[in-house]
Amino acid sequence: MRAVVQRVAGASVSCGGETRSIGRGLVVLVGIYEIDTEHDRAWMAEKVVNLRIFEDDAGKMNLSTIDVGGAVLLVPNFTVAGDARKGRRPSFDAAMRPERSGPEFERLCEDVRARGVAVERGFFGGEMMVEIRNDGPITIVLDSRRARELVCGFIGSTSSWGGRRVRPSGSATPSGSAQRGSRRTSGSRRGTLSRS
């Protein structure tokens, strides 16, 4: 799961004549990958709520959204999960398909709210207009896949990520002693995707 997080003085999202808004807090543009699990979602919710990017009395970024009594506007945005490393047209093959990503986005909203932060959400599948008053500007990119790789990298070989056995991206996954020293690549799960 990947998110573009912006510290804001205020923000709103509109669709079909309806507008949802927040004051001081965070706008989070969320892209969900086909391979994401509840562990990626929990990591993202925890990180968003506790990310310390608000200034304290000394002018240092030392306070979280909870600390300042802020709110979070979560906006579904499958393009955040895009890959533009090759060519000029981004690929969205790795993004979760709408029939699954819609409910997953709703669960992320509930997970953030359950951690004590007021939440507004964008309109899944809708053509939205988002207005952001970026305060700073402060913009942070969060990616649960990178966190997963860091966990594996620090520990060495395979490691537990929320109960799953994982390795850094591109690494082989041993399956018994006979495969030690060999490398195999697992196929990616791909599918078509509509705007969401």
Side-chain angles (χ1 to χ4, degrees), residues 4-11 22-28 51-56 59-65 68 71 132-140:
V4 178
V5 181
Q6 300 187 64
R7 189 183 75 180
V8 301
I22 63 169
R24 187 186 190 192
L26 301 177
V27 170
V28 184
L51 193 63
R52 298 192 298 174
I53 57 174
F54 293 90
E55 283 93 354
D56 59 17
K60 295 183 178 181
M61 288 197 296
N62 200 35
L63 301 176
S64 68
T65 306
V68 301
I132 298 172
R133 289 189 289 145
N134 195 318
D135 178 20
I138 302 294
T139 301
I140 304 291

Short mmCIF file of all heavy atoms in Angstrom, two decimals, residues 4-11 22-28 51-56 59-65 68 71 132-140:
data_model
loop_
_atom_site.label_atom_id
_atom_site.label_comp_id
_atom_site.label_asym_id
_atom_site.label_seq_id
_atom_site.Cartn_x
_atom_site.Cartn_y
_atom_site.Cartn_z
N VAL A 4 0.43 9.10 -0.50
CA VAL A 4 1.04 10.42 -0.53
C VAL A 4 0.35 11.24 0.55
O VAL A 4 -0.86 11.48 0.48
CB VAL A 4 0.88 11.09 -1.90
CG1 VAL A 4 1.48 12.50 -1.89
CG2 VAL A 4 1.53 10.25 -2.99
N VAL A 5 1.11 11.64 1.56
CA VAL A 5 0.56 12.32 2.73
C VAL A 5 0.95 13.79 2.69
O VAL A 5 2.13 14.12 2.57
CB VAL A 5 1.10 11.67 4.03
CG1 VAL A 5 0.51 12.37 5.26
CG2 VAL A 5 0.77 10.18 4.06
N GLN A 6 -0.03 14.67 2.80
CA GLN A 6 0.24 16.10 2.80
C GLN A 6 -0.33 16.73 4.07
O GLN A 6 -1.48 16.50 4.42
CB GLN A 6 -0.38 16.76 1.57
CG GLN A 6 0.16 16.21 0.27
CD GLN A 6 -0.32 16.99 -0.93
OE1 GLN A 6 -0.02 18.17 -1.09
NE2 GLN A 6 -1.09 16.34 -1.78
N ARG A 7 0.51 17.52 4.74
CA ARG A 7 0.06 18.28 5.90
C ARG A 7 -0.71 19.50 5.39
O ARG A 7 -0.20 20.23 4.54
CB ARG A 7 1.25 18.72 6.75
CG ARG A 7 0.86 19.34 8.08
CD ARG A 7 2.09 19.81 8.84
NE ARG A 7 2.63 21.05 8.27
CZ ARG A 7 3.71 21.68 8.75
NH1 ARG A 7 4.39 21.15 9.75
NH2 ARG A 7 4.12 22.80 8.20
N VAL A 8 -1.91 19.69 5.91
CA VAL A 8 -2.75 20.75 5.36
C VAL A 8 -3.32 21.66 6.46
O VAL A 8 -3.49 21.24 7.61
CB VAL A 8 -3.92 20.17 4.55
CG1 VAL A 8 -3.41 19.32 3.40
CG2 VAL A 8 -4.87 19.35 5.43
N ALA A 9 -3.60 22.89 6.05
CA ALA A 9 -4.35 23.81 6.91
C ALA A 9 -5.84 23.59 6.71
O ALA A 9 -6.65 23.96 7.57
CB ALA A 9 -3.98 25.25 6.58
N GLY A 10 -6.20 22.97 5.59
CA GLY A 10 -7.58 22.66 5.28
C GLY A 10 -7.65 21.97 3.93
O GLY A 10 -6.76 22.13 3.09
N ALA A 11 -8.69 21.18 3.70
CA ALA A 11 -8.83 20.48 2.43
C ALA A 11 -10.27 20.02 2.26
O ALA A 11 -11.02 19.89 3.24
CB ALA A 11 -7.89 19.27 2.38
N ILE A 22 -12.08 18.92 5.76
CA ILE A 22 -11.45 18.93 7.07
C ILE A 22 -10.72 20.25 7.25
O ILE A 22 -10.49 20.99 6.29
CB ILE A 22 -10.42 17.78 7.23
CG1 ILE A 22 -9.25 17.94 6.22
CG2 ILE A 22 -11.09 16.42 7.09
CD1 ILE A 22 -8.07 17.01 6.48
N GLY A 23 -10.39 20.57 8.50
CA GLY A 23 -9.54 21.70 8.79
C GLY A 23 -8.10 21.23 8.86
O GLY A 23 -7.62 20.50 7.99
N ARG A 24 -7.41 21.60 9.92
CA ARG A 24 -6.01 21.21 10.07
C ARG A 24 -5.87 19.70 10.16
O ARG A 24 -6.65 19.03 10.85
CB ARG A 24 -5.45 21.85 11.33
CG ARG A 24 -3.95 21.66 11.53
CD ARG A 24 -3.49 22.20 12.86
NE ARG A 24 -2.04 22.25 12.96
CZ ARG A 24 -1.38 22.46 14.10
NH1 ARG A 24 -2.06 22.66 15.23
NH2 ARG A 24 -0.06 22.48 14.10
N GLY A 25 -4.89 19.16 9.47
CA GLY A 25 -4.69 17.73 9.52
C GLY A 25 -3.90 17.22 8.34
O GLY A 25 -2.95 17.86 7.89
N LEU A 26 -4.31 16.05 7.83
CA LEU A 26 -3.60 15.39 6.74
C LEU A 26 -4.56 15.03 5.61
O LEU A 26 -5.69 14.59 5.86
CB LEU A 26 -2.93 14.10 7.23
CG LEU A 26 -1.91 14.19 8.36
CD1 LEU A 26 -1.44 12.78 8.74
CD2 LEU A 26 -0.73 15.07 7.97
N VAL A 27 -4.08 15.20 4.39
CA VAL A 27 -4.74 14.61 3.23
C VAL A 27 -3.89 13.43 2.80
O VAL A 27 -2.67 13.56 2.63
CB VAL A 27 -4.88 15.61 2.07
CG1 VAL A 27 -5.33 14.90 0.80
CG2 VAL A 27 -5.88 16.70 2.44
N VAL A 28 -4.52 12.28 2.62
CA VAL A 28 -3.80 11.05 2.28
C VAL A 28 -4.39 10.48 1.00
O VAL A 28 -5.54 10.03 0.97
CB VAL A 28 -3.90 10.01 3.42
CG1 VAL A 28 -3.07 8.78 3.08
CG2 VAL A 28 -3.44 10.62 4.75
N LEU A 51 2.36 9.77 12.44
CA LEU A 51 3.43 10.46 11.73
C LEU A 51 3.63 11.86 12.33
O LEU A 51 2.70 12.67 12.36
CB LEU A 51 3.06 10.57 10.25
CG LEU A 51 4.16 10.98 9.28
CD1 LEU A 51 5.29 9.95 9.27
CD2 LEU A 51 3.57 11.14 7.88
N ARG A 52 4.84 12.13 12.79
CA ARG A 52 5.11 13.39 13.49
C ARG A 52 5.62 14.44 12.50
O ARG A 52 6.83 14.60 12.33
CB ARG A 52 6.11 13.16 14.63
CG ARG A 52 5.57 12.19 15.68
CD ARG A 52 6.42 12.18 16.93
NE ARG A 52 7.79 11.74 16.66
CZ ARG A 52 8.77 11.74 17.56
NH1 ARG A 52 8.54 12.17 18.79
NH2 ARG A 52 9.97 11.30 17.23
N ILE A 53 4.69 15.16 11.89
CA ILE A 53 5.06 16.19 10.91
C ILE A 53 4.42 17.55 11.23
O ILE A 53 4.36 18.43 10.37
CB ILE A 53 4.72 15.76 9.48
CG1 ILE A 53 3.25 15.41 9.33
CG2 ILE A 53 5.60 14.58 9.06
CD1 ILE A 53 2.85 15.11 7.89
N PHE A 54 3.97 17.71 12.48
CA PHE A 54 3.48 19.00 12.93
C PHE A 54 4.47 19.59 13.94
O PHE A 54 5.05 18.86 14.74
CB PHE A 54 2.10 18.86 13.59
CG PHE A 54 1.02 18.43 12.64
CD1 PHE A 54 0.75 17.08 12.43
CD2 PHE A 54 0.27 19.37 11.94
CE1 PHE A 54 -0.24 16.68 11.55
CE2 PHE A 54 -0.73 18.98 11.06
CZ PHE A 54 -0.97 17.63 10.86
N GLU A 55 4.65 20.90 13.88
CA GLU A 55 5.64 21.54 14.75
C GLU A 55 5.18 21.62 16.20
O GLU A 55 3.99 21.84 16.48
CB GLU A 55 5.95 22.96 14.26
CG GLU A 55 6.88 23.02 13.07
CD GLU A 55 6.10 23.07 11.77
OE1 GLU A 55 4.86 22.93 11.83
OE2 GLU A 55 6.72 23.25 10.71
N ASP A 56 6.14 21.46 17.11
CA ASP A 56 5.88 21.69 18.53
C ASP A 56 6.21 23.15 18.85
O ASP A 56 6.45 23.96 17.94
CB ASP A 56 6.70 20.73 19.39
CG ASP A 56 8.21 20.86 19.17
OD1 ASP A 56 8.66 21.89 18.61
OD2 ASP A 56 8.94 19.93 19.58
N GLY A 59 9.24 24.67 17.33
CA GLY A 59 9.32 24.75 15.88
C GLY A 59 9.82 23.50 15.21
O GLY A 59 10.12 23.52 14.01
N LYS A 60 9.93 22.39 15.95
CA LYS A 60 10.40 21.13 15.37
C LYS A 60 9.21 20.23 15.04
O LYS A 60 8.22 20.20 15.75
CB LYS A 60 11.33 20.41 16.35
CG LYS A 60 12.63 21.16 16.62
CD LYS A 60 13.53 20.36 17.53
CE LYS A 60 14.86 21.08 17.78
NZ LYS A 60 15.76 20.30 18.65
N MET A 61 9.33 19.48 13.93
CA MET A 61 8.27 18.54 13.57
C MET A 61 8.32 17.36 14.53
O MET A 61 9.08 16.41 14.34
CB MET A 61 8.45 18.08 12.12
CG MET A 61 8.10 19.16 11.11
SD MET A 61 7.82 18.53 9.43
CE MET A 61 9.44 17.88 9.04
N ASN A 62 7.49 17.45 15.56
CA ASN A 62 7.57 16.49 16.65
C ASN A 62 6.19 16.03 17.11
O ASN A 62 6.09 15.27 18.06
CB ASN A 62 8.33 17.11 17.83
CG ASN A 62 8.88 16.07 18.78
OD1 ASN A 62 9.27 14.98 18.38
ND2 ASN A 62 8.87 16.40 20.07
N LEU A 63 5.13 16.49 16.43
CA LEU A 63 3.77 16.18 16.87
C LEU A 63 3.01 15.45 15.77
O LEU A 63 3.21 15.70 14.58
CB LEU A 63 3.03 17.46 17.25
CG LEU A 63 3.64 18.32 18.36
CD1 LEU A 63 2.84 19.60 18.56
CD2 LEU A 63 3.74 17.52 19.66
N SER A 64 2.11 14.57 16.20
CA SER A 64 1.30 13.80 15.26
C SER A 64 -0.08 14.44 15.09
O SER A 64 -0.43 15.41 15.78
CB SER A 64 1.11 12.38 15.78
OG SER A 64 0.31 12.39 16.96
N THR A 65 -0.86 13.87 14.20
CA THR A 65 -2.23 14.36 14.01
C THR A 65 -3.04 14.24 15.29
O THR A 65 -3.83 15.13 15.62
CB THR A 65 -2.92 13.55 12.89
OG1 THR A 65 -2.11 13.59 11.71
CG2 THR A 65 -4.28 14.13 12.56
N VAL A 68 -2.16 17.12 17.77
CA VAL A 68 -2.67 18.47 17.46
C VAL A 68 -4.18 18.50 17.30
O VAL A 68 -4.75 19.55 16.99
CB VAL A 68 -1.99 19.03 16.19
CG1 VAL A 68 -0.48 19.08 16.36
CG2 VAL A 68 -2.37 18.22 14.95
N ALA A 71 -7.51 16.20 11.78
CA ALA A 71 -8.34 15.22 11.10
C ALA A 71 -7.60 14.68 9.88
O ALA A 71 -6.58 15.23 9.46
CB ALA A 71 -9.67 15.83 10.69
N ILE A 132 -6.63 21.36 -1.81
CA ILE A 132 -5.69 21.15 -0.70
C ILE A 132 -4.95 22.45 -0.42
O ILE A 132 -4.39 23.06 -1.33
CB ILE A 132 -4.68 20.04 -1.04
CG1 ILE A 132 -5.41 18.71 -1.26
CG2 ILE A 132 -3.64 19.88 0.07
CD1 ILE A 132 -4.52 17.60 -1.79
N ARG A 133 -4.94 22.85 0.84
CA ARG A 133 -4.10 23.97 1.27
C ARG A 133 -2.91 23.36 2.02
O ARG A 133 -2.92 23.23 3.23
CB ARG A 133 -4.88 24.93 2.15
CG ARG A 133 -5.92 25.75 1.39
CD ARG A 133 -6.53 26.84 2.25
NE ARG A 133 -7.40 26.28 3.27
CZ ARG A 133 -7.54 26.77 4.50
NH1 ARG A 133 -6.82 27.82 4.87
NH2 ARG A 133 -8.37 26.21 5.35
N ASN A 134 -1.90 22.99 1.25
CA ASN A 134 -0.73 22.32 1.80
C ASN A 134 0.03 23.28 2.70
O ASN A 134 0.42 24.37 2.29
CB ASN A 134 0.17 21.82 0.66
CG ASN A 134 1.20 20.81 1.14
OD1 ASN A 134 1.81 20.98 2.19
ND2 ASN A 134 1.43 19.78 0.35
N ASP A 135 0.23 22.87 3.94
CA ASP A 135 0.85 23.71 4.96
C ASP A 135 2.33 23.39 5.05
O ASP A 135 2.73 22.37 5.58
CB ASP A 135 0.15 23.45 6.30
CG ASP A 135 0.76 24.24 7.44
OD1 ASP A 135 1.43 25.25 7.19
OD2 ASP A 135 0.53 23.84 8.61
N GLY A 136 3.15 24.26 4.49
CA GLY A 136 4.61 24.05 4.57
C GLY A 136 5.34 24.50 3.31
O GLY A 136 6.03 25.50 3.34
N PRO A 137 5.22 23.77 2.21
CA PRO A 137 4.49 22.50 2.06
C PRO A 137 5.25 21.32 2.66
O PRO A 137 6.46 21.28 2.65
CB PRO A 137 4.39 22.34 0.54
CG PRO A 137 5.62 23.01 0.01
CD PRO A 137 5.88 24.17 0.94
N ILE A 138 4.49 20.41 3.23
CA ILE A 138 5.03 19.16 3.78
C ILE A 138 4.34 18.00 3.08
O ILE A 138 3.12 17.86 3.16
CB ILE A 138 4.79 19.06 5.30
CG1 ILE A 138 5.42 20.23 6.04
CG2 ILE A 138 5.35 17.73 5.83
CD1 ILE A 138 6.93 20.29 5.98
N THR A 139 5.11 17.18 2.38
CA THR A 139 4.57 16.03 1.67
C THR A 139 5.48 14.83 1.91
O THR A 139 6.70 14.91 1.73
CB THR A 139 4.48 16.30 0.16
OG1 THR A 139 3.64 17.44 -0.07
CG2 THR A 139 3.89 15.10 -0.58
N ILE A 140 4.88 13.71 2.33
CA ILE A 140 5.62 12.49 2.65
C ILE A 140 5.00 11.33 1.87
O ILE A 140 3.77 11.23 1.76
CB ILE A 140 5.56 12.16 4.16
CG1 ILE A 140 6.09 13.33 5.00
CG2 ILE A 140 6.33 10.88 4.47
CD1 ILE A 140 7.57 13.58 4.86
#
